[in-house]
Amino acid sequence: MDPAPGVHLKDYKTKYFVLVMCGAVVYAFAGGFINAMCIAGVYRTGLTHLTGSTTFSAVRLINPTTNNFNTAPLLLFILGFGIGALLTGLLVGPPRMWWGGLQGFCMLLQASNLLIGYYLAPTQWGAFFVSIAMGVHNSTTSLFQFQIPLRTSHVSGAILDIGLTIGQSIHMREPVNVWRLGVHVPIFSGFWIGAVMGTVSFNAYAGDTLLFVIIFYAIGGLTTLLWVAYKKWIVKAATPPAPSEDEVAMFKDALAASNKRVAELIAEQKARDAAGAAAGTGVLDGQVVNKEDEMTLLKTSAAETVSTPATPFSTAAPSGSLYDGSIYR
């Protein structure tokens, strides 16, 4: 059975848990890749989370610099991240259970903002659009009903939960929420490996490194939308339609009438059994027969009753209805 809404991630079947974590790790890899590329040289500041930008905006208000962004641009990046989260909330709405078309649109939104950032790099406006993309990035994985946040653009929460889990387990001398390690360790590892690859890529391709991530988001978004369209229109079109309410009601009436007639035949048989018990014979339709012949006739009569219900209704079933069997083909 598929996990129901509100089911905790730790209660998912193994295949569903692995599927969710694969997606989370890929997104964390992308987050680490982009952040490393930004820090390594495109913007010389991290843009996938707000802790550094918030702190630097305060520090450079007092101690301005000529080598990097000062307070106003850093506040602009914070605003961009928030706009990305806002757009995701407007697009996705309430938390979801599975990856679908709305998440596909989010990936395309990320790709478009990163593309603008690529053309405007290394200006503050380029960083602003990258910040919007990262706000969408982190919000997309946060809007799932796993009852545990999946943050994929930063790893502070992951390290926090890893440390708490290990510390609590040692203190209580028994495993405490150890399953969380299966969530946060892969996410942290994916982010770190992504940061390594982002740095290597920047050293080789400089600012063009951003194109790799843009292509990733664009392909991911288009693939998601094509898959959803395939499931919604092609698979749905090949699925036989469900019977109408009238057809279901007619079937229930016919079944009830058939069951009633079978019950009447059984009651009549019991009455004849009581009357003919002494002689070892029974009477059916005015004929004296032995027990085996009588039961054969009874079964035949019941079968005919089921195939031709006693209750009146139109026997001409519409094409593709419940009765001609086409909905089960």
Side-chain angles (χ1 to χ4, degrees):
M1 178 182 295
D2 291 351
V7 173
H8 204 294
L9 183 58
K10 69 182 177 67
D11 297 324
Y12 275 36
K13 290 183 178 180
T14 302
K15 63 178 181 180
Y16 294 130
F17 184 88
V18 171
L19 187 62
V20 169
M21 290 312 305
C22 285
V25 169
V26 169
Y27 247 58
F29 178 92
F33 189 97
I34 294 173
N35 203 45
M37 178 200 65
C38 291
I39 293 175
V42 177
Y43 298 109
R44 298 194 177 279
T45 187
L47 296 175
T48 64
H49 54 278
L50 301 180
T51 304
S53 297
T54 302
T55 303
F56 276 125
S57 68
V59 170
R60 286 170 183 166
L61 179 65
I62 307 301
N63 300 323
T65 180
T66 57
N67 298 325
N68 209 328
F69 298 117
N70 281 307
T71 299
L74 290 169
L75 291 176
L76 184 66
F77 305 158
I78 296 172
L79 175 64
F81 196 97
I83 291 174
L86 183 148
L87 292 175
T88 306
L90 288 174
L91 184 61
V92 177
R96 306 286 171 166
M97 283 300 299
W98 291 111
W99 192 267
L102 295 176
Q103 286 75 22
F105 282 118
C106 287
M107 293 194 77
L108 293 179
L109 182 60
Q110 289 172 257
S112 61
N113 278 280
L114 288 174
L115 185 61
I116 297 173
Y118 170 76
Y119 281 111
L120 296 179
T123 68
Q124 65 184 32
W125 290 106
F128 171 72
F129 283 100
V130 172
S131 297
I132 293 177
M134 297 318 300
V136 177
H137 174 105
N138 200 44
S139 301
T140 301
T141 55
S142 298
L143 285 178
F144 284 99
Q145 291 181 339
F146 298 143
Q147 298 187 16
I148 177 174
L150 296 181
R151 312 297 189 192
T152 54
S153 68
H154 57 83
V155 293
S156 300
I159 295 299
L160 176 68
D161 275 4
I162 290 171
L164 282 175
T165 298
I166 296 174
Q168 288 177 324
S169 298
I170 294 174
H171 176 83
M172 302 183 70
R173 298 180 182 178
E174 63 179 5
V176 178
N177 293 328
V178 176
W179 67 271
R180 287 177 174 267
L181 298 178
V183 176
H184 296 300
V185 170
I187 288 178
F188 172 80
S189 301
F191 190 94
W192 188 84
I193 295 172
V196 172
M197 296 306 298
T199 304
V200 172
S201 180
F202 178 80
N203 290 340
Y205 302 104
D208 291 338
T209 300
L210 196 57
L211 290 174
F212 293 115
V213 192
I214 294 171
I215 293 172
F216 161 72
Y217 285 123
I219 292 177
L222 290 174
T223 302
T224 299
L225 293 178
L226 289 174
W227 172 250
V228 171
Y230 169 78
K231 295 280 287 185
K232 184 174 182 179
W233 285 295
I234 298 179
V235 175
K236 185 177 180 180
T239 303
S244 65
E245 293 182 1
D246 291 340
E247 289 177 325
V248 172
M250 292 169 64
F251 178 80
K252 288 182 178 180
D253 290 341
L255 183 61
S258 299
N259 290 337
K260 181 179 179 181
R261 180 56 182 157
V262 170
E264 291 174 352
L265 290 173
I266 292 174
E268 292 174 3
Q269 176 61 31
K270 289 182 179 179
R272 285 192 293 270
D273 284 346
T281 61
V283 179
L284 184 63
D285 293 336
Q287 299 178 355
V288 178
V289 296
N290 58 36
K291 287 292 184 180
E292 294 182 358
D293 292 340
E294 184 180 11
M295 291 308 297
T296 299
L297 290 171
L298 179 64
K299 291 178 181 178
T300 301
S301 178
E304 292 174 350
T305 303
V306 172
S307 62
T308 308
T311 55
F313 63 90
S314 174
T315 58
S319 176
S321 70
L322 179 67
Y323 303 101
D324 65 11
S326 63
I327 65 170
Y328 300 112
R329 294 172 187 164

